[in-house]
Amino acid sequence: MLAQMLILHFFFSFQIIKFDHYCTLLMEKLRKMVNQIAYTPQQNRLSKLSALQLSLIPILSLASTLYSFALPLRCRLYQLGLLHKNRLPVPVISVGNLTWGGNGKTPMVEFLAVWLSAAGISPLILTRGYSGADEAKMLQRHLYGTPVKIGIGANRANTAASFLKRYGHISPWKHGDTDLEGLLSNRKQGSCSCSDQIGIAILDDGMQHISLWRDVEIVMVNAMIPWGNHQLIPRGPLREPLTALTRADIVVIHHADLVSEKDVEAIASEIQKVKISLPMFLSRLAPLYFLKAGNTSCKLALPDISNTLVLCVSAIGSADSFVERIKKLGPVYADRLDFSDHHLFQAEDIDMIKMRLQNLQSEFAMKPVVVVTEKDYDRAPEVLKYLNPYEVLVLCSSLQILPHNGNTEESFKKCLWQHLKVSNKV
């Protein structure tokens, strides 16, 4: 009897595991289909989308309509004071976007944190830690040994309160070196002493997190796919309509180096129709070097992958930008395998990747190299070891503000600092 019960237990456990596995596969396929719908222009949907995807559009449209009614209602509840908006005792910089994924929010958060800490201000990054906390892990690795503090949690106000209680806070205007000249001077940066007390909070992915007051709203826009099909989620990629740009203080058009000047001007023109006086800057994600997966102390120069066969594997919001940057480094050929944003690699994914690698090796008569992003590596570094004997490299990059129409990195910092001072009436 006991043996029969054990057999039944293992049988049903196995069936549950199989069911979970099929659900995971189904959800991944569904996410890919919805993502393609969201970024397919209206005029191209009949030629680009499958019959199944076209059949999903009425359902997605209904959900988007309901979402469009809920958005202004939520904002109105905050305006009437029926929902409480928290305010921190330090200035808050929000870095957000109107669409889902791939807009450069986390690289911008790191850019701001490095700048402020080098200028003598200890910043607190507030991040949700979504799906494996890949972005938070990457920030922790990059900012280790600096005075930057990273708070992870869906309730950013509670997370901030615990850090402020532990470390205390200080007005950034009371630091000796935080006058504008000190903040912009490269000579002073790196020589400033930084108080352990928190001076500024940086809200990662904060635009829709309206329960927390912010002093400056930075909105990131992906130059490669700015608005998708212009529809609200889930029918499209927009979290809010373009009119929400009226809340922005600064817009940064990211991946601007991967599109034409004409495309940049078209995006800027569309933004100015909403808010004509909005300061706009351009940025790019500049490749720095490669790390070897499993041995991150080993750095490789970017030219090391020239004349090699590369398979780009990613589960990020903007896979196209990642692949384009790898192609610019001069590999013999760059193939790609894309997964949905924040996807956690499973055993069947590893099998799929290895099969693609074997096919590439057979076709080109040379051993390919796998290249992943830092987010993909930090999400589950232990999984990538199963790609052995193939080498896995991790592309490391950082955000750079591009000079454009008289705007520079220095003018971006100056604009941001002036907004902070006006908001805090300094």
Side-chain angles (χ1 to χ4, degrees):
M1 186 69 178
L2 180 60
Q4 289 176 330
M5 289 177 65
L6 285 171
I7 291 169
L8 284 171
H9 171 74
F10 285 119
F11 173 78
F12 284 115
S13 296
F14 179 70
Q15 294 303 315
I16 290 170
I17 291 169
K18 281 180 67 178
F19 178 74
D20 287 345
H21 168 72
Y22 288 129
C23 285
T24 301
L25 288 176
L26 181 62
M27 288 305 298
E28 175 65 12
K29 288 180 180 179
L30 185 60
R31 280 193 291 265
K32 282 186 175 181
M33 285 196 296
V34 171
N35 189 70
Q36 189 178 357
I37 292 169
Y39 286 106
T40 299
Q42 188 83 2
Q43 63 272 20
N44 296 337
R45 67 182 190 179
L46 290 176
S47 59
K48 297 287 186 182
L49 302 178
S50 68
L52 178 57
Q53 287 172 312
L54 290 171
S55 70
L56 289 173
I57 290 177
I59 302 168
L60 296 173
S61 297
L62 175 61
S64 294
T65 301
L66 295 174
Y67 179 73
S68 70
F69 287 127
L71 271 177
L73 176 61
R74 177 171 175 256
C75 291
R76 187 63 178 157
L77 290 174
Y78 276 105
Q79 289 170 356
L80 294 172
L82 297 175
L83 291 177
H84 178 63
K85 184 173 284 193
N86 297 282
R87 185 155 193 172
L88 302 184
V90 294
V92 175
I93 303 170
S94 168
V95 180
N97 58 282
L98 287 182
T99 60
W100 62 42
N103 298 277
K105 297 184 299 292
T106 304
M108 174 57 78
V109 165
E110 182 180 345
F111 174 89
L112 296 173
V114 170
W115 165 50
L116 291 169
S117 61
I121 300 172
S122 178
L124 167 64
I125 296 173
L126 297 170
T127 181
R128 182 182 174 186
Y130 178 77
S131 188
D134 45 16
E135 290 145 344
K137 290 174 183 175
M138 184 179 76
L139 287 170
Q140 287 170 334
R141 184 164 50 81
H142 284 188
L143 300 171
Y144 178 77
T146 73
V148 180
K149 297 156 186 68
I150 303 172
I152 304 170
N155 190 324
R156 259 68 78 87
N158 284 352
T159 303
S162 65
F163 273 80
L164 290 164
K165 183 178 180 180
R166 179 178 177 184
Y167 294 99
H169 65 275
I170 186 172
S171 169
W173 327 112
K174 292 182 180 179
H175 289 267
D177 288 319
T178 56
D179 60 294
L180 184 58
E181 292 302 317
L183 281 159
L184 298 179
S185 170
N186 289 325
R187 294 191 304 274
K188 284 193 177 184
Q189 288 187 22
S191 64
C192 298
S193 61
C194 196
S195 167
D196 207 35
Q197 293 176 299
I198 295 164
I200 285 179
I202 306 171
L203 189 57
D204 186 16
D205 197 6
M207 188 172 186
Q208 288 74 40
H209 194 78
I210 57 175
S211 62
L212 191 64
W213 175 273
R214 71 284 321 274
D215 297 88
V216 179
E217 186 82 74
I218 300 174
V219 177
M220 306 294 294
V221 176
N222 187 341
M224 299 184 75
I225 41 173
W227 325 116
N229 59 10
H230 285 75
Q231 301 293 318
L232 290 172
I233 57 174
R235 168 71 176 84
L238 288 174
R239 295 173 171 182
E240 296 184 76
L242 295 190
T243 51
L245 287 170
T246 55
R247 303 203 311 269
D249 297 300
I250 298 170
V251 165
V252 178
I253 303 173
H254 193 49
H255 299 312
D257 60 317
L258 297 179
V259 300
S260 67
E261 179 70 21
K262 184 179 178 181
D263 288 336
V264 170
E265 289 174 359
I267 296 168
S269 176
E270 197 158 7
I271 293 169
Q272 286 172 333
K273 288 176 184 175
V274 179
K275 190 174 181 179
I276 194 167
S277 60
L278 194 55
M280 275 182 274
F281 298 86
L282 307 186
S283 68
R284 74 171 187 135
L285 202 58
L288 301 175
Y289 51 81
F290 291 102
L291 296 177
K292 281 192 174 184
N295 181 17
T296 53
S297 61
C298 180
K299 292 183 181 180
L300 299 177
L302 296 175
D304 286 359
I305 70 158
S306 61
N307 301 317
T308 62
L309 181 60
V310 171
L311 176 62
C312 301
V313 178
S314 65
I316 57 175
S318 182
D320 288 344
S321 63
F322 168 54
V323 175
E324 286 304 310
R325 295 197 189 284
I326 293 298
K327 286 180 178 178
K328 286 176 178 287
L329 299 177
V332 171
Y333 178 73
D335 199 1
R336 62 191 288 176
L337 268 176
D338 305 337
F339 297 85
S340 61
D341 197 11
H342 299 288
H343 175 72
L344 292 169
F345 294 122
Q346 308 293 323
E348 60 272 10
D349 299 325
I350 297 298
D351 292 339
M352 186 196 308
I353 296 168
K354 291 186 88 168
M355 186 177 293
R356 180 69 68 88
L357 289 166
Q358 290 162 5
N359 291 340
L360 285 170
Q361 188 168 354
S362 175
E363 182 180 350
F364 288 87
M366 61 190 301
K367 193 174 182 179
V369 174
V370 178
V371 178
V372 300
T373 70
E374 287 187 274
K375 278 178 60 176
D376 296 307
Y377 175 76
D378 285 317
R379 192 180 307 119
E382 68 285 348
V383 174
L384 297 173
K385 68 183 180 183
Y386 293 108
L387 291 175
N388 187 55
Y390 296 99
E391 186 175 36
V392 180
L393 300 180
V394 185
L395 178 65
C396 298
S397 309
S398 68
L399 184 138
Q400 291 180 352
I401 301 293
L402 299 172
H404 183 259
N405 289 344
N407 284 333
T408 62
E409 180 179 314
E410 182 174 309
S411 62
F412 169 76
K413 293 174 179 177
K414 184 177 180 180
C415 179
L416 174 57
W417 196 248
Q418 286 174 338
H419 271 94
L420 279 172
K421 295 190 84 169
V422 168
S423 178
N424 287 271
K425 298 179 175 61
V426 175

